[in-house]
Each structure stands twice: as C-alpha cells, then as structure tokens.
Amino acid sequence: MDVKVYMQQVGRQARAASREMAKSDTNAKNTALTAMAHAIQRDAAKLLEANAIDMAAAKTAGLDSAMLDRLSLTEKGIVSMAEGLLQIAALPDPVGEITDLNFRPSGIQVGRMRVPLGVVGIIYEARPNVTADAAGLCLKSGNAAILRGGSEAMHSNQAIAACVREGLKAAGLPENSVQVIETTDRAAVGELITMREFVDVIVPRGGKGLIERLINEARIPVIKHLHGVCHVYIDDKADQEKAIKIADNAKTSRYGTCNTMETLLVAEGVAQSVLPPLCKIYQDKGVELRGCEASRAIVPQMLAATEEDWTTEYLAPILSIRVVKDMDAAIDHINTYSSQHTESIVTEDYSRARRFLREVDSSSVMVNASTRFADGFEYGLGAEIGISTDKIHARGPVGLEGLTSQKYIVLGEGHVRG
Amino acid sequence: MDVKVYMQQVGRQARAASREMAKSDTNAKNTALTAMAHAIQRDAAKLLEANAIDMAAAKTAGLDSAMLDRLSLTEKGIVSMAEGLLQIAALPDPVGEITDLNFRPSGIQVGRMRVPLGVVGIIYEARPNVTADAAGLCLKSGNAAILRGGSEAMHSNQAIAACVREGLKAAGLPENSVQVIETTDRAAVGELITMREFVDVIVPRGGKGLIERLINEARIPVIKHLHGVCHVYIDDKADQEKAIKIADNAKTSRYGTCNTMETLLVAEGVAQSVLPPLCKIYQDKGVELRGCEASRAIVPQMLAATEEDWTTEYLAPILSIRVVKDMDAAIDHINTYSSQHTESIVTEDYSRARRFLREVDSSSVMVNASTRFADGFEYGLGAEIGISTDKIHARGPVGLEGLTSQKYIVLGEGHVRG
C-alpha cells in the first residue's frame, strides 16, 4: 500500500463527509451516538476478544504495565465507553448556536454562529476507549474525524470502529465521517499532519515525543497538551485543615493523571505547622518526598530536590516540596516552572485569592480546591478530547465547544456600505 | 549586530513586559493610549518628515504606486491614527472578564476568565499606521507586542514607536511592552517566528509570500488571513433593486480591499433580467467583466472567464461572473473556490437565507448586505488587527477579543475530588 495515496484518499473522504456533517441535524447526530452505544454494548464479547489479541501481542512485545493497563479493555470499561456516547448525545448541540446578534449604527445586524472546525485528526496511543470518545465528540460537534490510534491497539480500535460505522449508518450519516486509519505505518502520521487541504486541526493525545514531532513537522494547527506540572500553594492565611485535605487529595487520589499535583509550595510562615502532619500523610501512603533546604530543615526525612524536580511531571508517588517567602514568590515559582496546566492556592485572604486568580498564567487556576478537579466532566463539559495547555483557540479541558469555531453572520435588507 | 542575539534579547524583554502587562489595570492602559495619541498629534510634523525620507527612498527604489500609497503618511492619516488609539481607549477592557461562573454538583464553582495571549509578534508591510493600531490593540488586550514593519517604512515606524514609548512611560507601563524591531535583516523574521519560549502568536499582515513562509517555517501559532475571494449570490427570489445596489457596492465602493466582491454568482432564473442593468453600471465605472458562457450569452461584451478567474483576488476593477442553476450550485461554487472570507446572498426567501447562513463555510456570511461590511469597525469590534480566514482561535475580523484567551477558574471551600 502506498501510504501517501491511502492517506490522500482518507483525507478527501473526510473533507467530503465534513460538509455533510456540518449540515446534519441534532436528531441525526444523537441517533448515531445512541446506535453506536448500543452496538458497543451488544458487541462487548467481540470487543473483549479483539482486545485479547492486542493484549497478548503487547505482552509478547514486553510492553510495560502502565501501557498494558491503558491498552486493556474490561467489561466495565466497555459499559462506560457506551455510557460516554449516551452522555454526549445528551449534551446540547453546539452547532448553529447564534450569539450576540445586535444592530449596528449602519443598520445591519451582526452576530456569531457556532460552526464545526471541519476535519479533526486525532493521534493517540494505546487507549482504545479514545476511539469511541473522540468519534462521539467529533460527531456531535459536526466534524469529520480521522483517528490514528496506537498500532498496539489495532484490533480493539477496528472492532470499536465497526460499531461507530454501524451507528453512523443507522442515522443516515456518511460513514466516512469517522475513519480509523488502517495502517500501522508511521508515515501515515506524517501525511496526516501535513495534509492542509483535508485536515483543519490535529489533536494529539500522547507523550512528549509525539508533541515535539508535531511542533516541528505539523503544517496544520495543533490543539496540544504538553504535560501537567501542577502546583498547590499553601498560603500563610490558609485554613490549615482545608490545606492538608487539598494537598493530600491533589497528590494521592491518583498518581498517574495530568491534573495531579507534582510540586507543593508552602509559605514560610506556616511551613513549620503544616509540613509535619502533611508529610506524615504522604509518608504513610508511600509518597517519596523531595524538598528544598528549608523544607528538609522541618522534615529531615525528605530527599534533596534538584532544579530538575521543579519541572518534572512524575506521574508517580513522588512529590517535590518548596518553602517560599510569600504568595509573590509562589506565583514567580509557578510562572517560571509550571507547565501552565493547573494551579491552586489555599487561602482565606480575599485579596490574595483575587490576585492569584488573575496573575497565575495557567489553563486552570483554583482557590481552595484540589487540582484534581481539572477535567471536562468535573467542569460540566461532558467528555473531553484533551486538556489544552496552549493559549490559542482552546485552553484547559476541550469538549464540544473546543471542536467548533464561530463565524460572523450579517443580516441586512439591502444594506450597502457608505 | 548578531540578529539571533538581538532577537533573543527582544523576546526576553517582551516576555518580562508581558507579565507586567497582564497585571496592569484598565486605567493605566487607557492613560497610555491617550498619551500615545497626544504624542502622535503633537509630533505630526516629525512624523511627516520621517515619512518623507521613507517616501523618497521608496521612489528612488522604484516601488509601485499602490505600495507608495500604503507607505505615505498624510496629516489626515496622522489624525486618524491618533483617533484610532483614543477609540481603543474607549473600548471595554477584555482582560479579567469572568463568564459562566456556575456551581457544579461537586460543590465547586467553575467559570472562565479572559486573559491576554502573552507576546504577540506582528509582521507587516509598508503601512506605518499599523505600528500605532497594532501597538494600541496589543496594549489594551494586556499583551506585549513585537512589531516587525517593512524596511521601506523604517523611519516612519521608528518615529511612531517613539510616541508609543512616551505613552507607555507616561502611564508607568513597561516600555518594552511594545518593541519595534530595529533591523531590516530578513533573518529577524526567521527568529521571530520560531522563538517559542518568547512569542505566543504571530499575526502577519502581508501578501501570499509571507503567509506561505509562515505556514512552512513558523513554530508558533499564526492567526492568518490568506486572501479575500468574496462572492455575492443573487438568488432568483432576490429583490432585484437590492441585488443591483449590493452587487454594485460590493465591487465598486473600493477595489483594493479584501472584502471586495471578486466573483458574482447569479441564479439562471434572473440572469436575463439582472445582468444587463448591472453590467451597464460596471461598464460605466470601467470594471472589466469576465463571464462564464451563460453570462456572455446575455452580455456579449464580457471577456471569457477561465478556471483561474474563480480563485483570483483581483484587488482591481475586474469582476468574474457566473450564472448558476440555483442556490445549491452557488454554495457548491463558493465552498469550492472561495477563500472563506466573506460571502453574501441576496434573497427574500426565508428558508434559503437560513440555509445559506448555515451551509456557507466562510468567516463572514451575509444576507442582503454588501460584503464590504466585513470589517472590525463595522462589526463593532473597534479597530482590527486583521481578518482571519482560519477556523482555529479567531475567525473573521480580529479585535481585542481575538488577542485574548480564556482560562478556567475554580472556586472552592476546601473541596477535594472523590
């Protein structure tokens, strides 16, 4: 197979399908989503079988346990994949929404209409559930999708794709509005990220290597998520009980997620009282602590943190801790080392809360809440296609709205410009 | 001078200034804009002198008359540059605006806060007024700006930049929040569009060559404007008087603007009655007409249009004309050949108007109005930094809002995720 020819064909089909999708009504899209969900539940056994083939190959290839974990489909996972599609069906249709329609002095009425982006290319790794989530989100937002999953999940993805196609067909929507790339050739990615005439945006869900490749090679806009080096800052005006609860939850409720705290900042005025009980909790849960000198003077069991720790996303039971003079020093640390994902301040001080919200330059900024809330479901967006740490187009969790754009509409009665 | 070292220095200064700008209050920004406007008016004679040097050099270099026209500063132009800054001062400050702050089932409150993009790089050609406009828009939206004007406008730009710096200083804002690049070395552009650590977005205002270079070489998101191949479609349900008025205005009110109609589409049912009086108007105004076979059968004086005409932005008194079967054929033509800038339908038919608005995939879609309205001032955005024909981030005229992003804010009282 000539990969370029194949990808051009996929692109051309996606572009044609995207024009149909942009026009399709809410009812058809919801019918498709519901039919996909039913097909996935009905075919649960087939999906598990396909996944077993992928899992066996992955084990033979010696993939690590985190990778195997992401690759594996369970009965529960299949149910929640189907439920995710039904939830997307229940969300309001963003397409066609008209806002801010106002008369101008010239007499014309000017407003904005929400429209699909067109063709969305999604590049992801092992997780087969992304196939259903991404298909569902792109469909509801009126886009055509080209999905490029990890080669290790090929059988699982194709089985899910069959259910997706069945749903599209049931609703009379073009089957090419969701295409799963059928080759494992890495050159397919190179084509996907440079076919400007056929693809409007690329959404990568993968590690740093993929993101770096996109920054260098993509010729199409990318909605990207670099990584999550999230911070909690415990202010000297914090309620200490809330502080300990939040700092515990932000680190230990899950270690492998991008909204997990990786560095804890503590105001020097309360370090002495907050750090000992908090570190006890971490140590009891087996979290390795790496502190600055001032923190280690208070909790000597900590390892010494190096400069590298401040920029590291551990995705593991490891936490770096730094004592800072005050909120300004905390904001400086964050704006220097953070990946601009999510940061939280714990304080009862009104003016500091207000300043922290304004001055911290991250996609989610919180007061008295755990960073773990940074998530499309928790924010009420429904499913998310990723969390953007960019500033352009979409910032933070990206749901249906992030997969759309707004065009201007102008209504007149024969108006001309003077 | 080592261009790379120089540009890195400019970038570092811009990044530092952007952090101050993000925090600066509305009053300081408006004070700066007002002081800039006054300095520009006071220094009118100096600006004219500087411009005279640029103009003399440009004439010696044999620049064409369109280029000289764009380069020239007049007293009237200086007044409107100053007025533009005062108008930007009068616009509401977008930064810090909080919207959609709602309670979630978990008890947290989630909303969005509008924030500056950070550092905006603007690359433009001869027009010196862009220096003031771009500085004003970036300032009001809380961004730092790096401006790279055409080398032929160097003296004019530096004179305007002195007024801008004076305004910033008067308001106590960092002078580096607007930097005009002082080298004419083209390598400076290469640095500007790849300094990912210092620049958040590039806004080009230039020709196709510049845009192509950015698509291939930029490593930073670009808000771009390809070109304007705008259409008016006269439906067979059009009010013919309105149709003629709009089609005349869309072409002949100005020939050199991107929102000028370049192709006229006419439903075959009314071509016979609309084309003769309309073409008479065009011919009286010296507009060269290039038609399809069906149009030439009605108005034989037209030249024959070629395939190339359908994608050409003439920016001149030339118009291509095509007779189409119906609205579907018109939409097909537009979605195939248009540059997705601005299209208008003239019709009294409710359902067709509604479908045209929905199905035409351009940054501005109009009913019964001249394409010439596609403009930031006409839309009520105040000044515009450009008109985006992209779908990502900003579409259509880009004003203050297009120079900002939205981050999520979360307010809790010690909330943790279950």
Side-chain angles (χ1 to χ4, degrees):
Chain A
M1 182 171 64
D2 182 323
V3 174
K4 192 180 173 74
V5 170
Y6 168 70
M7 288 302 295
Q8 291 275 319
Q9 171 73 2
V10 167
R12 206 169 296 113
Q13 290 173 174
R15 177 61 76 208
S18 77
R19 296 207 198 287
E20 291 306 306
M21 287 304 298
K23 294 192 260 187
S24 66
D25 65 29
T26 309
N27 194 32
K29 294 190 282 192
N30 290 345
T31 301
L33 288 162
T34 310
M36 286 175 197
H38 291 161
I40 284 173
Q41 282 189 302
R42 184 202 60 210
D43 285 357
K46 271 194 221 167
L47 299 192
L48 290 173
E49 233 169 81
N51 188 245
I53 302 173
D54 289 332
M55 287 293 284
K59 279 174 196 157
T60 309
L63 266 61
D64 68 28
S65 66
M67 195 79 156
L68 291 174
D69 186 47
R70 288 200 288 274
L71 179 60
S72 116
L73 266 184
T74 60
E75 279 189 51
K76 208 178 135 207
I78 290 171
V79 170
S80 71
M81 201 156 50
E83 275 171 1
L85 291 168
L86 296 176
Q87 279 165 15
I88 295 170
L91 290 172
D93 189 340
V95 177
E97 178 201 43
I98 294 174
T99 48
D100 307 323
L101 189 62
N102 295 308
F103 279 98
R104 297 287 308 149
S106 62
I108 59 172
Q109 242 177 320
V110 179
R112 302 175 85 176
M113 182 191 281
R114 195 164 285 287
V115 291
L117 292 176
V119 177
V120 182
I122 301 186
I123 305 170
Y124 52 106
E125 289 172 347
R127 305 174 190 269
N129 64 306
V130 173
T131 306
D133 290 357
L137 285 166
C138 290
L139 168 69
K140 184 72 182 244
S141 52
N143 293 290
I146 301 175
L147 308 180
R148 208 302 181 167
S151 54
E152 58 292 331
M154 186 57 75
H155 295 88
S156 314
N157 288 341
Q158 295 294 350
I160 296 166
C163 298
V164 168
R165 269 196 305 275
E166 183 181 329
L168 289 166
K169 211 171 162 183
L173 294 173
E175 287 179 55
N176 286 331
S177 61
V178 180
Q179 295 178 83
V180 175
I181 292 178
E182 288 176 11
T183 167
T184 57
D185 192 328
R186 277 174 57 88
V189 172
E191 293 298 325
L192 182 61
I193 65 179
T194 52
M195 302 193 297
R196 284 180 47 220
E197 64 279 39
F198 299 131
V199 184
D200 295 290
V201 64
I202 298 287
V203 182
R205 294 189 60 165
K208 282 191 199 178
L210 174 60
I211 301 289
E212 281 300 323
R213 179 174 181 195
L214 287 173
I215 287 170
N216 290 316
E217 295 176 26
R219 294 290 169 272
I220 294 166
V222 177
I223 296 177
K224 63 181 170 296
H225 166 168
L226 273 171
H227 52 300
V229 179
C230 302
H231 297 74
V232 172
Y233 164 61
I234 301 178
D235 186 50
D236 53 326
K237 296 280 182 63
D239 173 314
Q240 296 206 14
E241 205 179 310
K242 290 180 192 166
I244 289 172
K245 215 170 98 184
I246 288 169
D248 175 16
N249 182 267
K251 183 69 215 180
T252 69
S253 61
R254 269 182 81 182
Y255 296 113
T257 51
C258 59
N259 54 20
T260 297
M261 167 178 66
E262 305 291 17
T263 301
L264 173 69
L265 302 171
V266 185
E268 62 182 13
V270 291
Q272 198 78 48
S273 59
V274 165
L275 279 181
L278 187 52
C279 291
K280 170 90 175 56
I281 293 174
Y282 289 137
Q283 285 162 332
D284 287 350
K285 295 188 179 177
V287 178
E288 179 186 313
L289 303 176
R290 303 182 185 177
C292 66
E293 259 185 62
S295 337
R296 296 178 71 215
I298 299 167
V299 181
Q301 303 95 308
M302 284 186 212
L303 302 174
T306 64
E307 181 73 13
E308 210 194 321
D309 280 298
W310 309 133
T311 52
T312 302
E313 182 182 31
Y314 303 114
L315 296 172
I318 305 173
L319 176 70
S320 57
I321 299 180
R322 187 174 197 178
V323 172
V324 292
K325 189 169 166 287
D326 54 17
M327 185 177 77
D328 284 307
I331 293 177
D332 269 355
H333 177 102
I334 290 169
N335 285 344
T336 307
Y337 296 107
S338 153
S339 66
Q340 305 191 294
H341 190 296
T342 300
E343 336 292 344
S344 183
I345 186 174
V346 189
T347 191
E348 296 300 314
D349 186 286
Y350 166 83
S351 297
R352 290 189 196 166
R354 206 159 165 258
R355 274 192 54 216
F356 190 87
L357 284 174
R358 172 92 186 243
E359 295 179 19
V360 170
D361 186 22
S362 296
S363 76
S364 287
V365 188
M366 305 184 168
V367 178
N368 294 337
S370 168
T371 55
R372 292 275 296 113
F373 281 113
D375 170 293
F377 279 110
E378 292 294 337
Y379 285 2
L381 311 179
E384 67 186 27
I385 202 139
I387 295 184
S388 164
T389 54
D390 272 338
K391 293 185 188 175
I392 300 300
H393 187 67
R395 231 182 156 192
V398 180
L400 292 177
E401 190 185 300
L403 293 172
T404 62
S405 182
Q406 285 180 301
K407 69 183 178 193
Y408 282 93
I409 59 170
V410 174
L411 308 181
E413 298 166 45
H415 287 88
V416 296
R417 190 160 166 192
Chain B
M1 183 172 65
D2 181 324
V3 173
K4 191 182 174 73
V5 169
Y6 168 72
M7 289 302 295
Q8 291 275 319
Q9 172 72 1
V10 167
R12 207 171 294 112
Q13 290 173 174
R15 177 61 76 211
S18 77
R19 296 208 198 289
E20 292 305 307
M21 287 304 299
K23 293 192 261 187
S24 65
D25 63 29
T26 309
N27 195 32
K29 294 189 283 191
N30 290 347
T31 301
L33 289 162
T34 310
M36 286 175 195
H38 291 160
I40 284 173
Q41 283 190 300
R42 185 201 61 211
D43 286 356
K46 271 194 221 168
L47 299 193
L48 291 174
E49 235 169 80
N51 189 245
I53 302 173
D54 288 334
M55 287 294 285
K59 278 174 196 158
T60 309
L63 265 63
D64 67 29
S65 65
M67 195 78 155
L68 291 174
D69 186 48
R70 287 199 289 273
L71 179 59
S72 116
L73 265 184
T74 59
E75 280 189 50
K76 205 179 137 208
I78 290 172
V79 169
S80 73
M81 201 158 48
E83 275 170 3
L85 291 169
L86 296 176
Q87 279 167 15
I88 295 171
L91 290 172
D93 188 341
V95 177
E97 178 201 44
I98 294 173
T99 47
D100 308 322
L101 189 63
N102 295 309
F103 280 98
R104 296 287 309 148
S106 63
I108 59 172
Q109 242 176 318
V110 178
R112 302 175 85 175
M113 183 191 281
R114 196 165 284 286
V115 292
L117 293 176
V119 177
V120 182
I122 301 186
I123 305 171
Y124 53 107
E125 289 173 349
R127 304 176 192 266
N129 65 306
V130 173
T131 306
D133 290 357
L137 285 166
C138 290
L139 169 68
K140 184 72 181 245
S141 53
N143 293 290
I146 301 176
L147 307 181
R148 211 296 184 173
S151 55
E152 58 292 331
M154 186 57 75
H155 295 88
S156 315
N157 288 340
Q158 294 295 348
I160 296 167
C163 298
V164 168
R165 270 197 304 275
E166 183 181 329
L168 290 165
K169 212 172 162 183
L173 293 174
E175 288 180 53
N176 286 330
S177 61
V178 179
Q179 295 177 84
V180 175
I181 292 177
E182 289 177 11
T183 168
T184 56
D185 192 329
R186 276 175 58 89
V189 172
E191 294 297 325
L192 182 61
I193 65 179
T194 52
M195 303 194 296
R196 283 179 47 221
E197 64 280 40
F198 299 131
V199 184
D200 296 291
V201 65
I202 298 288
V203 182
R205 293 188 60 165
K208 281 192 199 178
L210 174 61
I211 302 288
E212 281 300 322
R213 179 172 179 195
L214 286 172
I215 287 170
N216 289 315
E217 296 176 25
R219 293 293 169 271
I220 294 166
V222 177
I223 296 177
K224 64 181 170 295
H225 166 167
L226 273 171
H227 52 298
V229 180
C230 303
H231 297 74
V232 171
Y233 164 60
I234 301 177
D235 187 50
D236 52 325
K237 297 280 182 65
D239 174 313
Q240 296 205 14
E241 204 179 312
K242 291 180 192 168
I244 289 172
K245 216 170 98 187
I246 289 170
D248 176 15
N249 182 267
K251 184 68 217 180
T252 70
S253 60
R254 269 182 81 181
Y255 296 113
T257 52
C258 60
N259 54 21
T260 297
M261 167 178 66
E262 305 290 18
T263 301
L264 172 69
L265 302 171
V266 184
E268 62 181 13
V270 291
Q272 198 78 46
S273 58
V274 163
L275 280 180
L278 187 53
C279 291
K280 170 91 176 56
I281 294 174
Y282 291 135
Q283 285 163 331
D284 287 349
K285 295 189 179 177
V287 178
E288 178 185 315
L289 302 176
R290 303 184 185 175
C292 67
E293 261 186 62
S295 338
R296 296 179 72 213
I298 299 167
V299 181
Q301 302 96 308
M302 284 187 213
L303 302 173
T306 65
E307 182 73 12
E308 210 194 323
D309 280 298
W310 310 133
T311 53
T312 302
E313 183 183 30
Y314 304 113
L315 296 172
I318 304 171
L319 176 70
S320 57
I321 299 179
R322 187 174 197 176
V323 171
V324 293
K325 189 169 167 286
D326 54 16
M327 186 178 76
D328 284 307
I331 294 177
D332 269 355
H333 178 100
I334 290 170
N335 285 343
T336 306
Y337 296 107
S338 155
S339 66
Q340 304 191 297
H341 190 297
T342 300
E343 335 292 344
S344 182
I345 184 174
V346 189
T347 191
E348 296 300 314
D349 186 286
Y350 167 84
S351 297
R352 289 190 197 165
R354 203 159 167 256
R355 272 191 57 215
F356 191 86
L357 284 174
R358 172 91 187 244
E359 295 179 19
V360 170
D361 186 22
S362 297
S363 76
S364 288
V365 187
M366 305 183 169
V367 178
N368 293 340
S370 167
T371 55
R372 292 275 296 113
F373 281 113
D375 169 295
F377 279 109
E378 292 294 338
Y379 285 3
L381 310 178
E384 67 186 27
I385 201 138
I387 295 183
S388 165
T389 53
D390 272 338
K391 292 185 188 176
I392 300 299
H393 187 67
R395 230 182 157 193
V398 180
L400 292 176
E401 190 185 301
L403 293 171
T404 62
S405 182
Q406 285 181 301
K407 69 184 178 192
Y408 281 93
I409 59 171
V410 175
L411 308 179
E413 299 167 41
H415 287 88
V416 296
R417 189 160 166 191

